[in-house]
Amino acid sequence: MKRTFLKQLFCLSCCAALCLTAVSVFAAENPDSLSSVIDPEQSGTVIIDYQDTVDGNDPVVDAEFTFYKIADLNMEITAGDDANLHRASEEEATVTSVGNQYVSIIPDLVINPDTDAKTIAPKVQSYYKDHPETDPSYTGKTGKNGKLVMNGMELGVYLGMETSPAKEHYASTPFLFQLPFTDSDGGDRTFWNYELTVEPKSMPAGDIMISKEVTGTAGDTSQKFHFKVEFRTTDDSLSVPYEISDGTKGTIRTGDKIELKSGEVATITMLPCGSDYKVTEVEANQDGYKTTATGTSGRIVRKNQVRVTFVNHKDKPNDKPKDKPNDKPEDKPPKPTGHTQTGDNLPVWDILLASASVFVIGIGLTTYRRKKK
């Protein structure tokens, strides 16, 4: 919020929560100082400048903000006798803000510089819903540049809320402001600002996808396995939605468990970017299973879905390992046979038969020679 804070005129309340936004602005009159002149004929303007402070300062587009008027300023005519200020000159009449007093338009709602916007937000929204005749509220969405300009607002005290957050973002924290507010630093507080700029802090969200697979001859694909999901944020009570591929939906808080069987996938969404996460399988490496997992811990990053996988493998005890796919029969060395005719692998009977044949031929040649002589 772009403004100068005067210690004695402003009381700032900063709502610390998961997602912080603009600081509340009120003007409180110092009874020992000069009066502050307010023009009751002028309207106010609120400018929302919404930029993504987590991921590259990109504009936050289509974030809907609503401004609920909750109190009128306590004004008095301090000079002049003409109550119709449309015809009164500055010399004849001035309007001042007296103290830090505000006239609430919602019954039993006390407004002061210490009021917590987040605390009163449910009551204000409920009252506006039940009483449409209540003083005006103003609603608009941020454009492509992340800005929303709301002109023509009545003077008074307002509750500002992001009533519909942008896609993949959390709503920023509610805030209180007054129109007009003073920017003066000196004792002569005669200048009032009717245009207020608010810079909400965005909190983009990411998600985790957890998948489960059971393999092996003894793996039970119908068995349910339990997964403990932890995510560390500034708000331990944060509850985020999840959906399982079988259609089951619900919400989960840090430390809770979800169930998955083989082939199922659980997607957990709306986790604040920048927060750490950890996923643990309760039954890991139990009942004969060998568990392998990837991506079980890390940090949530916008535009980058975190994937966590768990695989449990289990075989029957007597199962022999199958041949590897690369072990082809033609790759195995040939077995020696009894008829191999090379090297030293000649069979004994073949050697004896060859020797006998040589012996018989030798005798025949000898006999033939003797007869010839």
Side-chain angles (χ1 to χ4, degrees):
M1 188 175 294
K2 301 173 182 176
R3 57 189 179 275
T4 304
F5 296 95
L6 183 59
K7 293 182 180 179
Q8 294 180 335
L9 293 182
F10 287 81
C11 185
L12 309 178
S13 61
C14 182
C15 303
L18 174 67
C19 195
L20 299 181
T21 185
V23 181
S24 304
V25 179
F26 284 100
E29 183 73 20
N30 186 334
D32 297 328
S33 65
L34 298 176
S35 298
S36 301
V37 179
I38 296 176
D39 182 0
E41 297 184 22
Q42 187 168 344
S43 61
T45 297
V46 171
I47 301 173
I48 298 294
D49 188 1
Y50 207 4
Q51 307 297 320
D52 190 342
T53 58
V54 176
D55 185 24
N57 291 323
D58 294 333
V60 181
V61 181
D62 287 335
E64 180 186 270
F65 284 83
T66 300
F67 310 106
Y68 301 97
K69 185 176 179 181
I70 59 176
D72 288 313
L73 300 177
N74 190 347
M75 300 179 183
E76 288 184 352
I77 299 175
T78 58
D81 54 4
D82 191 346
N84 190 341
L85 296 178
H86 291 276
R87 297 193 303 268
S89 64
E90 284 192 15
E91 292 76 14
E92 295 173 340
T94 57
V95 179
T96 62
S97 172
V98 180
N100 60 352
Q101 300 174 7
Y102 308 101
V103 182
S104 175
I105 62 176
I106 299 178
D108 302 323
L109 183 65
V110 178
I111 304 298
N112 57 58
D114 296 322
T115 301
D116 184 358
K118 189 175 181 180
T119 301
I120 68 172
K123 183 174 183 178
V124 172
Q125 284 188 303
S126 178
Y127 185 82
Y128 263 82
K129 181 179 179 181
D130 297 336
H131 299 82
E133 75 282 0
T134 307
D135 280 79
S137 63
Y138 306 85
T139 301
K141 290 187 176 182
T142 56
K144 293 182 179 179
N145 59 356
K147 292 186 177 181
L148 162 65
V149 180
M150 189 64 64
N151 293 310
M153 298 179 64
E154 292 183 2
L155 303 185
V157 180
Y158 286 85
L159 168 69
M161 295 185 65
E162 187 175 350
T163 45
S164 181
K167 185 179 179 181
E168 297 180 347
H169 281 75
Y170 280 95
S172 52
T173 304
F175 54 96
L176 292 171
F177 62 93
Q178 171 186 310
L179 288 176
F181 64 95
T182 181
D183 271 348
S184 177
D185 290 329
D188 182 15
R189 294 190 292 275
T190 58
F191 174 74
W192 288 84
N193 195 332
Y194 296 83
E195 181 178 291
L196 180 67
T197 299
V198 183
E199 296 178 341
K201 293 183 180 179
S202 69
M203 179 60 73
D207 52 67
I208 298 175
M209 188 176 73
I210 306 172
S211 62
K212 179 63 184 175
E213 184 179 2
V214 176
T215 61
T217 57
D220 184 359
T221 57
S222 64
Q223 180 180 347
K224 288 281 188 179
F225 296 85
H226 300 83
F227 299 89
K228 181 180 180 181
V229 182
E230 300 173 272
F231 42 92
R232 297 176 178 85
T233 69
T234 56
D235 183 7
D236 291 337
S237 65
L238 178 65
S239 181
V240 297
Y242 73 88
E243 182 174 358
I244 300 177
S245 52
D246 66 354
T248 303
K249 297 181 180 180
T251 58
I252 187 172
R253 294 172 59 180
T254 182
D256 289 347
K257 300 180 183 66
I258 58 176
E259 290 184 341
L260 294 175
K261 65 181 181 181
S262 182
E264 290 185 338
V265 177
T267 303
I268 304 172
T269 59
M270 293 304 293
L271 288 162
C273 289
S275 59
D276 296 326
Y277 75 91
K278 182 179 181 181
V279 183
T280 307
E281 181 180 325
V282 178
E283 296 87 359
N285 296 309
Q286 296 181 11
D287 194 26
Y289 283 103
K290 180 180 179 181
T291 303
T292 56
T294 60
T296 56
S297 62
R299 180 161 293 181
I300 303 298
V301 180
R302 185 185 174 199
K303 301 178 183 178
N304 183 15
Q305 186 181 60
V306 174
R307 296 176 180 267
V308 184
T309 62
F310 289 89
V311 179
N312 279 11
H313 183 86
K314 183 180 180 181
D315 284 322
K316 295 179 181 179
N318 296 329
D319 285 348
K320 295 180 180 180
K322 297 180 180 180
D323 291 337
K324 296 180 180 179
N326 293 332
D327 290 343
K328 300 179 180 179
E330 57 268 25
D331 296 336
K332 297 180 181 179
K335 296 180 180 179
T337 64
H339 300 285
T340 304
Q341 302 296 320
T342 58
D344 297 330
N345 294 325
L346 289 173
V348 176
W349 288 107
D350 290 347
I351 296 175
L352 293 177
L353 181 60
S355 300
S357 299
V358 173
F359 179 73
V360 172
I361 292 172
I363 294 176
L365 289 174
T366 302
T367 304
Y368 173 75
R369 288 174 181 176
R370 285 179 180 176
K371 288 182 178 181
K372 188 175 181 181
K373 289 180 181 182

